Amino acid sequence: MFTEYIFHFLSILSLFSAVMVLASKKPIHSVLFLTLAFFAIAGHYVLLNAQFLAVVHVIVYAGAIMVLFLFTVMLLNLNKDEQSQKPMWVKIMAVIAGGMLMLTLIGILRKYDIQSVQDPMTTQIGLVKNLGKILYNDYFVPFELSSVLFLTAMVGAVLLGKKEQI
Amino acid sequence: MTTLQSIPIQYYLVFCSLLFSIGVVGVLIKRNALVILMSIELMINSINLLLAAFSAYTNDPAGQIFVFFIMVVAAAEVAIGLAIVVLIYRTTHTIDINVLNKLRW
């Protein structure tokens, strides 16, 4: 029962902050609400006993990506209200389309049931020891390739961000 | 399992569908390129959470490894995306996506 209450609290918190990301006019408020949503999702990972993922999620999203967003908002001096918005009928149509997508997804997935092999609260696969063994044994090549991807992304970001001669 | 009752997988399915739909609506209604990137992050997060939930429920660690790799790719994507946004701002002095219609026709 207790975990269910925590689940509902975290779900409502993350959905609320996700809606507020879209509803707030200033980009910096959107960034801060997005941080709140990320922390709520990190709580979900803890609830699934995926501790490695929870820590990596907080480090990567709340640590790195949020700092990037905040730096961009502050560097570009965007902290003012959006001057131009999409017309109202576009917004209404978009919300209707998104609602249709949501209904379709829920309608498809509603009946889905899975026989839980083990209680997710007590499973041990999300711990650092098990995931590290699997990551370095079975998924070693993708792990190394992701470092190449990071290097490429870093070089690309520096190249794009340079002031001279693009 | 006397005190710890497990949550049904449907709860995760419904919650992640809601979060994904909010991200889709955000991409559709916003004109600010930064907020569109944030909505994409929301969608990626909902997929990540669903993968982690299925991995925990079926006791298969491959799902959590996949979530790890998706996080890696998302971090690289945001770095490049924000660099492009800064570049767009430098050339056009706005990040309104409706101004960026040079390649439309």
Side-chain angles (χ1 to χ4, degrees):
Chain A
M1 278 321 281
F2 187 56
T3 49
E4 204 161 330
Y5 289 140
I6 297 176
F7 176 85
H8 286 136
F9 171 71
L10 288 173
S11 303
I12 291 168
L13 181 64
S14 48
L15 286 177
F16 166 74
S17 35
V19 170
M20 286 307 288
V21 168
L22 308 185
S24 47
K25 292 267 186 281
K26 294 183 178 179
I28 197 150
H29 292 168
S30 297
V31 175
L32 294 176
F33 274 115
L34 192 62
T35 316
L36 189 60
F38 283 164
F39 273 112
I41 290 171
H44 274 296
Y45 285 132
V46 173
L47 210 58
L48 284 169
N49 212 6
Q51 300 165 6
F52 173 72
L53 281 185
V55 172
V56 170
H57 188 270
V58 169
I59 290 172
V60 170
Y61 280 100
I65 291 181
M66 280 309 105
V67 171
L68 271 177
F69 272 116
L70 277 176
F71 259 98
T72 313
V73 169
M74 289 175 180
L75 269 175
L76 303 187
N77 200 13
L78 295 173
N79 196 15
K80 44 184 176 279
D81 289 2
E82 288 177 36
Q83 303 91 342
S84 59
Q85 300 236 333
K86 281 196 175 174
M88 203 51 176
W89 65 271
V90 172
K91 286 187 176 178
I92 292 170
M93 291 309 284
V95 171
I96 288 173
M100 289 293 173
L101 176 69
M102 183 193 75
L103 283 181
T104 312
L105 283 174
I106 291 176
I108 293 167
L109 302 171
R110 189 169 51 97
K111 290 285 173 58
Y112 185 81
D113 200 4
I114 192 167
Q115 288 304 317
S116 178
V117 180
Q118 201 179 354
D119 189 24
M121 306 306 149
T122 59
T123 183
Q124 298 296 311
I125 59 164
L127 304 187
V128 179
K129 189 181 170 189
N130 298 311
L131 275 188
K133 273 182 186 161
I134 292 157
L135 189 62
Y136 283 107
N137 284 322
D138 301 345
Y139 294 90
F140 188 68
V141 176
F143 182 73
E144 292 297 326
L145 282 179
S146 70
S147 71
V148 177
L149 174 73
F150 262 134
L151 188 64
T152 318
M154 197 171 74
V155 171
V158 170
L159 193 68
L160 286 175
K162 263 177 62 170
K163 199 111 191 169
E164 317 92 68
Q165 39 116 3
I166 290 288
Chain B
M1 303 312 128
T2 51
T3 52
L4 288 175
Q5 293 254 320
S6 73
I7 300 155
I9 190 76
Q10 283 96 348
Y11 285 17
Y12 281 102
L13 286 166
V14 170
F15 167 62
C16 292
S17 307
L18 279 168
L19 206 57
F20 191 86
S21 309
I22 290 171
V24 170
V25 171
V27 171
L28 290 175
I29 67 172
K30 283 292 183 176
R31 287 179 67 171
N32 191 332
L34 269 175
V35 185
I36 288 176
L37 274 176
M38 288 180 212
S39 306
I40 293 172
E41 289 302 311
L42 273 179
M43 286 194 269
I44 291 174
N45 266 293
S46 75
I47 299 301
N48 272 349
L49 181 60
L50 201 52
L51 266 173
F54 271 107
S55 145
Y57 274 73
T58 57
N59 210 10
D60 180 9
Q64 305 204 353
I65 302 284
F66 265 70
V67 172
F68 178 70
F69 284 123
I70 293 173
M71 279 180 188
V72 167
V73 175
E77 172 244 331
V78 164
I80 294 294
L82 288 177
I84 292 173
V85 166
V86 171
L87 204 62
I88 288 170
Y89 185 79
R90 247 184 233 152
T91 48
T92 64
H93 293 284
T94 177
I95 53 169
D96 190 340
I97 53 159
N98 278 31
V99 179
L100 310 172
N101 54 6
K102 294 282 196 314
L103 289 178
R104 198 188 207 168
W105 305 114

